[in-house]
Each structure stands twice: as structure tokens, then as C-alpha cells.
Amino acid sequence: MPKVSDEHKELRIQQILLAASEVFKSKGYEQATLKDIVEEAGMSRGWIYLYFKDKTTIFMALIDYLDAQLEERISTLLKENKGSAHGVLISYFQETSQSIDRLKDSVVPAIYEFCTTGWRVQQVRDYFVNRYIRVTAIFIDVIGKGVENGEFKPTRSVDEIGKYMISSLDGIMLHSLAFGSQQINAVQQVNLLINQLMEMLSVNFLKIMGKNS
């Protein structure tokens, strides 16, 4: 097989992940097959196997890809909010509220399915433990920046607040998928979570106003 440049490899991998995303959105994790992904990607099975050994490794790579996009989005929000951690959290929560009704059309249901059906498998359990650490670290870092620049004076540890935020959001999203966002008043719950977080962070609004002026 001829040598393939790193750039070409990245394009191939992205093509596979985008195809996989469409398959997992429509079929979920359990019902999706490698054959479905091969057909959606328009590649031979051999090309797929060149980069991934099975459906599980494709799905994990897809989640990593989405998490990398989240990290990029947080970086962008930091720039848009002139380095304000408070601004980042508010913007992120607003975007989350707006996207809740579209969760069922995303990869999120398949991620929850993969986690709940595969937790007995050591590889899957280890993966999600590491992912939890990685994703919570993104928001713990944001909160930490807010403490450093004087926006926050938290009443609890930054680590504890960050983990509480992620756990609460996960619960809201999972219940939205299970019972419907209207049934559980998801947007109102997100707003309540914002208020709780701001209380725990003891927001210094004078400092924030100074940054935005």
C-alpha cells in the first residue's frame, strides 16, 4: 500500500468520524454497525481498518473529536468575553439551554447509551473515567481563571464546583432525553444551576464590570 501523508490521514480520519457521527445519530450505538459506517463514508472496509479496528474505537475517537471541539469552543468564548471566566460560563450555559431540544438529533443519546451499556467492560469504564477527568478539567480551569483574575471568591473548592457543574448538567440532559425537556423544565433547571453556581462562586460583579468596560 502506498505511503499516505499525515495531512491525508487526518482528512481520511475526519471523513470516517463525520460519517460515523451520522450513523450514530440515526441508529444509536448498539444498532449501528461497521458496515453502516463503511457505506456512509463511501470507503472500502480496508480503508476503515487502516485507522480503526472496530466500531468501539471509532466511537471513542468520535467522542474525543467532539470533546476537542468543546475545548476549542471554550477557548473561543474566552476570547469573545475578553478573558472573563464569568462570561464564558454564562455563554456556555446559554448555548446549552438553546441546544437541549435538539439533543435527540445529536450524538449525545448514543454516548449515554454507550456508557450505560458498556460500563461493565473495563476498556469502556476506563475510557469514561479518563473522559470525565478531561472534560471536568476544562471547566475547572475556567473557574480557576476566574479566581485568579478576581471575578470569583468561591465558597467551596474549585474542583468540587467544577464536578458539581458537570454532574448537574449531565443529569439535566439525561432526563431531557428520557422524559422530554418540556416535561422536566430543562431550561429552568439550567437557569437554576447557573444561579447556584454563581452563589458558590461569590461573583465579584464590580470586577466583571471593570473588565467589560
Side-chain angles (χ1 to χ4, degrees):
M1 184 173 288
K3 290 185 177 180
V4 180
S5 69
D6 289 341
E7 182 179 0
H8 189 68
K9 285 181 181 177
E10 287 301 315
L11 289 174
R12 284 284 189 179
I13 290 172
Q14 188 173 44
Q15 183 181 349
I16 294 168
L17 295 181
L18 291 175
S21 176
E22 293 305 311
V23 172
F24 290 124
K25 283 178 188 178
S26 63
K27 292 196 169 187
Y29 178 76
E30 291 295 326
Q31 293 298 317
T33 65
L34 193 60
K35 181 175 181 291
D36 294 327
I37 298 171
V38 168
E39 291 176 353
E40 182 71 28
M43 296 182 185
S44 69
R45 188 176 289 261
W47 271 109
I48 302 291
Y49 280 130
L50 185 62
Y51 303 107
F52 302 103
K53 67 177 183 179
D54 54 25
K55 181 179 75 170
T56 298
T57 54
I58 293 175
F59 196 61
M60 288 179 176
L62 175 60
I63 297 174
D64 290 343
Y65 175 74
L66 295 174
D67 289 346
Q69 287 187 320
L70 168 63
E71 194 163 9
E72 288 178 9
R73 181 58 186 150
I74 296 300
S75 295
T76 299
L77 288 175
L78 270 171
K79 293 176 184 176
E80 291 176 354
N81 287 278
K82 301 177 182 178
S84 168
H86 176 268
V88 170
L89 293 178
I90 295 299
S91 297
Y92 177 74
F93 276 115
Q94 288 174 343
E95 291 179 0
T96 300
S97 293
Q98 292 166 6
S99 67
I100 282 180
D101 286 334
R102 301 191 300 274
L103 280 179
K104 63 182 183 299
D105 301 317
S106 71
V107 181
V108 172
I111 294 175
Y112 284 125
E113 180 186 359
F114 180 52
C115 180
T116 54
T117 60
W119 69 270
R120 286 187 175 86
V121 179
Q122 189 66 46
Q123 177 193 17
V124 176
R125 188 162 62 250
D126 290 345
Y127 173 79
F128 274 104
V129 168
N130 290 327
R131 183 191 183 229
Y132 173 78
I133 294 170
R134 184 174 69 241
V135 173
T136 53
I138 295 172
F139 292 98
I140 289 171
D141 184 59
V142 171
I143 295 170
K145 284 182 171 61
V147 174
E148 289 173 8
N149 63 30
E151 292 180 80
F152 304 144
K153 293 183 179 180
T155 58
R156 296 178 179 272
S157 74
V158 170
D159 183 76
E160 186 178 356
I161 294 173
K163 289 178 178 178
Y164 172 75
M165 171 185 162
I166 294 299
S167 296
S168 299
L169 277 178
D170 267 351
I172 293 171
M173 289 191 287
L174 186 57
H175 281 190
S176 293
L177 288 170
F179 311 119
S181 60
Q182 299 299 319
Q183 179 66 32
I184 70 163
N185 298 323
V187 172
Q188 292 91 328
Q189 286 202 49
V190 172
N191 290 335
L192 179 60
L193 177 58
I194 294 173
N195 292 336
Q196 290 176 331
L197 285 172
M198 294 306 117
E199 288 180 9
M200 286 190 287
L201 291 170
S202 296
V203 180
N204 183 348
F205 288 104
L206 291 176
K207 183 71 176 182
I208 292 169
M209 291 173 62
K211 289 179 72 68
N212 293 329
S213 61

mmCIF file of all heavy atoms in Angstrom, residues 27-47:
data_model
loop_
_atom_site.group_PDB
_atom_site.id
_atom_site.type_symbol
_atom_site.label_atom_id
_atom_site.label_comp_id
_atom_site.label_asym_id
_atom_site.label_seq_id
_atom_site.Cartn_x
_atom_site.Cartn_y
_atom_site.Cartn_z
ATOM 1 N N LYS A 27 -28.967 5.782 14.324
ATOM 2 C CA LYS A 27 -29.176 4.417 14.805
ATOM 3 C C LYS A 27 -28.813 4.196 16.263
ATOM 4 O O LYS A 27 -29.135 3.140 16.826
ATOM 5 C CB LYS A 27 -28.363 3.435 13.938
ATOM 6 C CG LYS A 27 -28.873 3.310 12.515
ATOM 7 C CD LYS A 27 -28.305 2.069 11.839
ATOM 8 C CE LYS A 27 -28.998 1.795 10.525
ATOM 9 N NZ LYS A 27 -28.577 0.507 9.935
ATOM 10 N N GLY A 28 -28.141 5.159 16.888
ATOM 11 C CA GLY A 28 -27.654 4.924 18.233
ATOM 12 C C GLY A 28 -26.386 4.090 18.172
ATOM 13 O O GLY A 28 -25.900 3.763 17.086
ATOM 14 N N TYR A 29 -25.859 3.738 19.348
ATOM 15 C CA TYR A 29 -24.601 2.977 19.363
ATOM 16 C C TYR A 29 -24.815 1.489 19.100
ATOM 17 O O TYR A 29 -24.145 0.901 18.249
ATOM 18 C CB TYR A 29 -23.879 3.152 20.695
ATOM 19 C CG TYR A 29 -22.604 2.347 20.746
ATOM 20 C CD1 TYR A 29 -21.473 2.776 20.060
ATOM 21 C CD2 TYR A 29 -22.545 1.129 21.426
ATOM 22 C CE1 TYR A 29 -20.312 2.022 20.061
ATOM 23 C CE2 TYR A 29 -21.384 0.383 21.436
ATOM 24 C CZ TYR A 29 -20.275 0.823 20.747
ATOM 25 O OH TYR A 29 -19.128 0.072 20.727
ATOM 26 N N GLU A 30 -25.726 0.863 19.815
ATOM 27 C CA GLU A 30 -25.885 -0.588 19.729
ATOM 28 C C GLU A 30 -26.322 -1.053 18.345
ATOM 29 O O GLU A 30 -25.837 -2.071 17.838
ATOM 30 C CB GLU A 30 -26.880 -1.079 20.797
ATOM 31 C CG GLU A 30 -26.374 -0.968 22.217
ATOM 32 C CD GLU A 30 -25.172 -1.863 22.475
ATOM 33 O OE1 GLU A 30 -25.112 -2.962 21.890
ATOM 34 O OE2 GLU A 30 -24.289 -1.458 23.247
ATOM 35 N N GLN A 31 -27.245 -0.336 17.726
ATOM 36 C CA GLN A 31 -27.789 -0.760 16.437
ATOM 37 C C GLN A 31 -26.866 -0.431 15.265
ATOM 38 O O GLN A 31 -26.988 -1.037 14.186
ATOM 39 C CB GLN A 31 -29.156 -0.106 16.203
ATOM 40 C CG GLN A 31 -30.243 -0.592 17.156
ATOM 41 C CD GLN A 31 -30.516 -2.075 17.023
ATOM 42 O OE1 GLN A 31 -30.593 -2.609 15.918
ATOM 43 N NE2 GLN A 31 -30.642 -2.757 18.154
ATOM 44 N N ALA A 32 -25.971 0.506 15.437
ATOM 45 C CA ALA A 32 -25.039 0.870 14.355
ATOM 46 C C ALA A 32 -24.039 -0.252 14.120
ATOM 47 O O ALA A 32 -23.632 -0.949 15.056
ATOM 48 C CB ALA A 32 -24.309 2.160 14.715
ATOM 49 N N THR A 33 -23.635 -0.420 12.870
ATOM 50 C CA THR A 33 -22.650 -1.448 12.529
ATOM 51 C C THR A 33 -21.498 -0.817 11.765
ATOM 52 O O THR A 33 -21.621 0.293 11.219
ATOM 53 C CB THR A 33 -23.269 -2.551 11.656
ATOM 54 O OG1 THR A 33 -23.653 -1.986 10.376
ATOM 55 C CG2 THR A 33 -24.491 -3.159 12.326
ATOM 56 N N LEU A 34 -20.396 -1.553 11.711
ATOM 57 C CA LEU A 34 -19.256 -1.084 10.930
ATOM 58 C C LEU A 34 -19.637 -0.982 9.458
ATOM 59 O O LEU A 34 -19.182 -0.075 8.753
ATOM 60 C CB LEU A 34 -18.073 -2.037 11.117
ATOM 61 C CG LEU A 34 -16.717 -1.536 10.617
ATOM 62 C CD1 LEU A 34 -16.313 -0.257 11.340
ATOM 63 C CD2 LEU A 34 -15.645 -2.600 10.820
ATOM 64 N N LYS A 35 -20.485 -1.869 9.008
ATOM 65 C CA LYS A 35 -20.961 -1.835 7.619
ATOM 66 C C LYS A 35 -21.692 -0.523 7.327
ATOM 67 O O LYS A 35 -21.521 0.084 6.263
ATOM 68 C CB LYS A 35 -21.886 -3.023 7.364
ATOM 69 C CG LYS A 35 -22.426 -3.123 5.934
ATOM 70 C CD LYS A 35 -23.229 -4.412 5.774
ATOM 71 C CE LYS A 35 -23.768 -4.551 4.352
ATOM 72 N NZ LYS A 35 -24.827 -3.559 4.050
ATOM 73 N N ASP A 36 -22.514 -0.072 8.297
ATOM 74 C CA ASP A 36 -23.220 1.206 8.136
ATOM 75 C C ASP A 36 -22.229 2.352 7.949
ATOM 76 O O ASP A 36 -22.422 3.237 7.109
ATOM 77 C CB ASP A 36 -24.085 1.498 9.361
ATOM 78 C CG ASP A 36 -25.227 0.515 9.522
ATOM 79 O OD1 ASP A 36 -25.748 0.038 8.497
ATOM 80 O OD2 ASP A 36 -25.584 0.222 10.683
ATOM 81 N N ILE A 37 -21.172 2.339 8.767
ATOM 82 C CA ILE A 37 -20.170 3.411 8.704
ATOM 83 C C ILE A 37 -19.400 3.356 7.396
ATOM 84 O O ILE A 37 -19.136 4.393 6.773
ATOM 85 C CB ILE A 37 -19.212 3.317 9.913
ATOM 86 C CG1 ILE A 37 -20.002 3.509 11.217
ATOM 87 C CG2 ILE A 37 -18.095 4.347 9.806
ATOM 88 C CD1 ILE A 37 -19.212 3.225 12.480
ATOM 89 N N VAL A 38 -19.050 2.152 6.945
ATOM 90 C CA VAL A 38 -18.346 1.975 5.661
ATOM 91 C C VAL A 38 -19.178 2.558 4.530
ATOM 92 O O VAL A 38 -18.683 3.308 3.679
ATOM 93 C CB VAL A 38 -18.061 0.477 5.407
ATOM 94 C CG1 VAL A 38 -17.604 0.263 3.966
ATOM 95 C CG2 VAL A 38 -17.001 -0.036 6.370
ATOM 96 N N GLU A 39 -20.473 2.253 4.528
ATOM 97 C CA GLU A 39 -21.354 2.736 3.462
ATOM 98 C C GLU A 39 -21.529 4.246 3.525
ATOM 99 O O GLU A 39 -21.528 4.929 2.496
ATOM 100 C CB GLU A 39 -22.703 2.032 3.563
ATOM 101 C CG GLU A 39 -22.638 0.548 3.224
ATOM 102 C CD GLU A 39 -23.970 -0.158 3.419
ATOM 103 O OE1 GLU A 39 -24.916 0.488 3.942
ATOM 104 O OE2 GLU A 39 -24.063 -1.343 3.060
ATOM 105 N N GLU A 40 -21.685 4.786 4.731
ATOM 106 C CA GLU A 40 -21.866 6.231 4.893
ATOM 107 C C GLU A 40 -20.612 6.991 4.491
ATOM 108 O O GLU A 40 -20.690 8.074 3.886
ATOM 109 C CB GLU A 40 -22.224 6.547 6.347
ATOM 110 C CG GLU A 40 -22.491 8.010 6.640
ATOM 111 C CD GLU A 40 -23.793 8.526 6.045
ATOM 112 O OE1 GLU A 40 -24.735 7.724 5.878
ATOM 113 O OE2 GLU A 40 -23.860 9.735 5.743
ATOM 114 N N ALA A 41 -19.446 6.428 4.795
ATOM 115 C CA ALA A 41 -18.171 7.088 4.476
ATOM 116 C C ALA A 41 -17.812 6.955 3.004
ATOM 117 O O ALA A 41 -17.007 7.733 2.477
ATOM 118 C CB ALA A 41 -17.050 6.500 5.331
ATOM 119 N N GLY A 42 -18.401 5.971 2.320
ATOM 120 C CA GLY A 42 -18.074 5.752 0.910
ATOM 121 C C GLY A 42 -16.664 5.231 0.725
ATOM 122 O O GLY A 42 -16.019 5.511 -0.292
ATOM 123 N N MET A 43 -16.176 4.482 1.698
ATOM 124 C CA MET A 43 -14.836 3.899 1.643
ATOM 125 C C MET A 43 -14.937 2.376 1.658
ATOM 126 O O MET A 43 -15.979 1.820 2.009
ATOM 127 C CB MET A 43 -13.998 4.333 2.852
ATOM 128 C CG MET A 43 -13.693 5.793 2.947
ATOM 129 S SD MET A 43 -12.653 6.088 4.425
ATOM 130 C CE MET A 43 -12.565 7.869 4.403
ATOM 131 N N SER A 44 -13.830 1.742 1.339
ATOM 132 C CA SER A 44 -13.776 0.291 1.472
ATOM 133 C C SER A 44 -13.555 -0.051 2.938
ATOM 134 O O SER A 44 -13.054 0.760 3.722
ATOM 135 C CB SER A 44 -12.634 -0.284 0.631
ATOM 136 O OG SER A 44 -11.387 0.087 1.181
ATOM 137 N N ARG A 45 -13.931 -1.263 3.324
ATOM 138 C CA ARG A 45 -13.705 -1.717 4.690
ATOM 139 C C ARG A 45 -12.215 -1.697 5.035
ATOM 140 O O ARG A 45 -11.820 -1.416 6.163
ATOM 141 C CB ARG A 45 -14.270 -3.131 4.866
ATOM 142 C CG ARG A 45 -14.270 -3.646 6.289
ATOM 143 C CD ARG A 45 -14.943 -5.009 6.364
ATOM 144 N NE ARG A 45 -16.363 -4.893 6.167
ATOM 145 C CZ ARG A 45 -17.262 -4.867 7.154
ATOM 146 N NH1 ARG A 45 -16.854 -4.927 8.414
ATOM 147 N NH2 ARG A 45 -18.542 -4.766 6.906
ATOM 148 N N GLY A 46 -11.366 -1.969 4.018
ATOM 149 C CA GLY A 46 -9.925 -1.967 4.234
ATOM 150 C C GLY A 46 -9.404 -0.610 4.658
ATOM 151 O O GLY A 46 -8.514 -0.515 5.511
ATOM 152 N N TRP A 47 -9.948 0.463 4.061
ATOM 153 C CA TRP A 47 -9.538 1.812 4.451
ATOM 154 C C TRP A 47 -9.926 2.098 5.896
ATOM 155 O O TRP A 47 -9.173 2.717 6.649
ATOM 156 C CB TRP A 47 -10.178 2.848 3.525
ATOM 157 C CG TRP A 47 -9.365 3.158 2.316
ATOM 158 C CD1 TRP A 47 -9.643 2.810 1.028
ATOM 159 C CD2 TRP A 47 -8.128 3.870 2.277
ATOM 160 N NE1 TRP A 47 -8.656 3.255 0.184
ATOM 161 C CE2 TRP A 47 -7.712 3.914 0.918
ATOM 162 C CE3 TRP A 47 -7.312 4.455 3.247
ATOM 163 C CZ2 TRP A 47 -6.531 4.531 0.516
ATOM 164 C CZ3 TRP A 47 -6.135 5.079 2.848
ATOM 165 C CH2 TRP A 47 -5.757 5.111 1.501
#
